[in-house]
């Protein structure tokens, strides 16, 4: 009994390329892999620098605004309506708002610094 599948595989005789063409193609592919690895390493370095700059910017903004925290708290107490002064929740909120403002400003500065520094480092350098 003849096996049609065996006949198909027996008839399959692929043409092999010369070994020099194989070596050249392998070399091109290895060069491409090397290029991708170098690009990824450079991208990681840029990201690490951007994160470091963002952390420094966030800390600096936090330190500067923490010096003004009593003044910001005083402004919050002055802006609050007088009929809320007896409410414990509103007093707690007035005390928390300056800290929330400090946290938001520090976060905004850090995120903005990260975006700007990463975009500046990703630009092609002029020769």
């Amino acid at each position: 009994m003849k096996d049609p599948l065996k006949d198909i595989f027996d008839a399959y005789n692929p043409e092999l390329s010369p070994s020099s063409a194989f070596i050249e193609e392998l070399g091109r592919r290895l060069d491409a892999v090397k290029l991708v690895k170098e690009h990824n390493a450079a991208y990681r370095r840029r990201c690490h620098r951007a994160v470091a700059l963002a952390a420094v910017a966030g800390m600096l903004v936090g330190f500067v605004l923490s010096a003004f925290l009593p003044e910001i708290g005083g402004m919050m107490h002055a802006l609050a309506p007088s009929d809320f002064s007896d409410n414990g929740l509103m007093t707690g909120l007035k005390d928390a708002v300056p800290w929330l403002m400090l946290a938001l400003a520090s976060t905004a500065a850090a995120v903005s610094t990260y975006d700007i520094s990463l975009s500046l480092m990703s630009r092609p350098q002029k020769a």
Side-chain angles (χ1 to χ4, degrees):
M1 183 164 149
K2 289 186 91 183
D3 185 11
L5 191 59
K6 185 173 188 249
D7 291 340
I8 290 173
F9 282 114
D10 285 342
Y12 182 69
N13 190 10
E15 188 175 313
L16 299 176
S17 62
S19 63
S20 61
F22 172 77
I23 295 296
E24 288 174 12
E25 179 66 22
L26 181 63
R28 280 195 298 273
R29 289 184 183 199
L30 287 175
D31 289 342
V33 168
K34 182 180 175 185
L35 181 67
V36 168
K37 286 175 89 174
E38 289 171 356
H39 180 268
N40 285 343
Y43 183 74
R44 261 187 259 118
R45 281 192 302 273
R46 284 194 305 267
C47 285
H48 288 193
R49 287 183 194 139
V51 166
L53 289 171
V56 169
M59 283 189 279
L60 286 176
V61 169
F63 288 145
V64 169
L65 287 182
S66 66
F68 295 107
L69 205 54
E71 287 81 10
I72 296 171
M75 288 188 324
M76 289 298 119
H77 285 283
L79 291 175
S82 60
D83 57 345
F84 286 133
S85 61
D86 295 335
N87 189 346
L89 176 65
M90 198 56 156
T91 303
L93 184 62
K94 287 189 291 186
D95 292 337
V97 167
W99 289 100
L100 291 174
M101 289 175 60
L102 183 132
L104 289 174
S106 297
T107 302
V111 169
S112 299
T113 302
Y114 177 80
D115 289 340
I116 291 169
S117 61
L118 194 60
S119 67
L120 288 175
M121 284 187 266
S122 297
R123 281 193 325 194
Q125 300 296 326
K126 293 182 181 178

